[in-house]
Amino acid sequence: MLRNDEWHWGAVAKFFHWTIALLILGNGVFGLLMDLASSPMQKVNWMALHKSIGLTVLALFALRLLWRAFNRPPRELPAPRWQQWAARVVHAVLYVLVAALPLSGWWFNSVRGYPLQFFKLFNLPAIAAKNPDLRRLSHEVHEYLFWILLLMLAAHVGAALKHHVFDNDDVLRRMWPFARLRRENQGD
């Protein structure tokens, strides 16, 4: 099933969800380990790969937003009002951060005056003028956004696990690849 239905996330939504999540986590770890490069050239190559993965996240996120605009999400599962509100807030913040993190990296790259290549296939334009005075700030913004994103992901994953383990409901199963729901008509 490619599209969402009343109770299930479709394969396309799951693909975007899990691919973006894995790319962000992997690229974050990669970014943190970049200083372990054995030579300056290796670090340059790793940095180029890190940037290309970040741009991939941004492109996939744009496609995810487009898909979501034309594919309604499944019905909300019954939950206390505060949990529904918290879920909406966390998802909204995650969406902002998933866009802001690669954009902040693009900004950091731009103020440093470096070309931004996508997997050595083509260059993207700078989104800001070269400005050595903003180099440190732009780098800090990029790093802080990553740490904030990790905190929000911890809340997101923690809530999903809470629903799965303690509430014994289908919140996690609806997004988990190949999982079957316990009840097909919850809330009716």
Side-chain angles (χ1 to χ4, degrees):
M1 167 177 85
L2 292 178
R3 297 180 60 86
N4 304 337
D5 67 19
E6 186 177 11
W7 298 110
H8 305 85
W9 290 100
V12 174
K14 289 178 183 182
F15 167 80
F16 284 133
H17 179 272
W18 291 107
T19 303
I20 290 169
L22 291 173
L23 284 173
I24 288 171
L25 291 174
N27 208 31
V29 170
F30 189 47
L32 293 171
L33 298 177
M34 219 165 301
D35 288 334
L36 300 177
S38 61
S39 70
M41 195 61 205
Q42 184 180 44
K43 186 170 183 176
V44 166
N45 288 330
W46 285 5
M47 183 65 74
L49 182 59
H50 176 77
K51 293 172 187 180
S52 293
I53 293 170
L55 291 170
T56 301
V57 167
L58 189 60
L60 286 172
F61 182 67
L63 290 172
R64 179 181 182 163
L65 290 177
L66 187 63
W67 178 256
R68 178 128 184 196
F70 296 103
N71 189 30
R72 291 180 49 161
R75 180 190 292 196
E76 284 187 2
L77 295 179
R81 179 165 280 157
W82 72 268
Q83 285 183 12
Q84 292 176 351
W85 177 84
R88 283 189 209 107
V89 168
V90 168
H91 282 105
V93 172
L94 281 171
Y95 270 47
V96 168
L97 290 169
V98 167
L101 187 61
L103 287 172
S104 69
W106 193 344
W107 177 49
F108 173 50
N109 191 78
S110 296
V111 300
R112 292 179 72 195
Y114 293 136
L116 183 59
Q117 290 187 337
F118 182 71
F119 293 107
K120 298 183 181 181
L121 298 173
F122 56 87
N123 288 353
L124 287 124
I127 59 172
K130 183 177 179 178
N131 186 340
D133 295 335
L134 290 177
R135 181 182 183 276
R136 183 181 177 100
L137 173 65
S138 62
H139 184 258
E140 287 177 357
V141 167
H142 188 61
E143 280 194 20
Y144 283 122
L145 286 173
F146 173 70
W147 293 113
I148 294 167
L149 179 61
L150 280 186
L151 287 173
M152 296 308 295
L153 285 173
H156 181 66
V157 170
L161 291 174
K162 177 246 184 222
H163 278 279
H164 189 72
V165 174
F166 296 107
D167 297 345
N168 203 26
D169 64 23
D170 286 322
V171 168
L172 178 60
R173 276 186 192 82
R174 290 181 352 148
M175 186 52 79
W176 198 257
F178 312 112
R180 299 188 68 91
L181 301 185
R182 290 185 186 156
R183 297 176 299 271
E184 290 292 324
N185 57 354
Q186 298 182 31
D188 284 343

